[in-house]
Amino acid sequence: MHEVALIIDDERDTCLLLKHFLKRKGITSYYAHTLKDGIGKASEVKPHWLFLDNNLPDGFGIDRVQEIKLLSPQSKIIMISAMGNFFEIAISTGADTFIEKPLDFMKIEQSLLL
């Protein structure tokens, strides 16, 4: 089965770093730098994992978790943010897990087991 991930983050370096890591795991990944583009891409590619930054140019990822769940119910949503106290908020809104920036590859690896 072909596994796909989507990264929604406005930081190009974060997207490229995650994309490279996922490629080494045999996972095809796409990225978008805005919520609008990311939500459109999510409904198109139906990713297994969706890495969602919170602070984006056109809004907060946390505010769109439920919409993404409706568009792509099979996607595991992994919130990523530099705000370390965000775990409980992310989970309470429907995210499957939360990873604090800077990204920890052990935690990313664990999130792929969701």
Side-chain angles (χ1 to χ4, degrees):
M1 183 172 169
H2 186 70
E3 295 179 314
V4 175
L6 174 62
I7 306 151
I8 305 174
D9 195 308
D10 60 329
E11 295 177 16
R12 181 174 164 78
D13 289 346
T14 299
C15 292
L16 294 175
L17 191 66
L18 260 173
K19 184 176 178 72
H20 179 69
F21 176 81
L22 294 168
K23 182 178 181 181
R24 290 185 18 226
K25 300 290 176 188
I27 299 168
T28 301
S29 60
Y30 303 91
Y31 57 85
H33 299 300
T34 65
L35 280 167
K36 181 182 179 194
D37 290 346
I39 289 170
K41 184 69 81 175
S43 61
E44 178 187 328
V45 302
K46 305 288 188 202
H48 296 85
W49 302 278
L50 194 148
F51 292 88
L52 178 62
D53 188 23
N54 186 52
N55 194 13
L56 292 155
D58 56 344
F60 296 103
I62 200 78
D63 295 335
R64 307 297 285 275
V65 169
Q66 288 304 313
E67 179 182 353
I68 293 168
K69 285 274 191 190
L70 289 173
L71 288 171
S72 186
Q74 77 288 348
S75 297
K76 299 296 181 191
I77 298 178
I78 300 128
M79 290 291 307
I80 54 177
S81 177
M83 297 171 47
N85 59 345
F86 211 65
F87 179 82
E88 289 179 18
I89 297 167
I91 299 303
S92 70
T93 61
D96 293 285
T97 194
F98 169 79
I99 301 174
E100 184 177 356
K101 291 180 178 179
L103 297 175
D104 177 330
F105 288 108
M106 295 280 288
K107 291 180 181 176
I108 294 168
E109 183 95 39
Q110 291 170 346
S111 74
L112 297 177
L113 301 175
L114 295 174

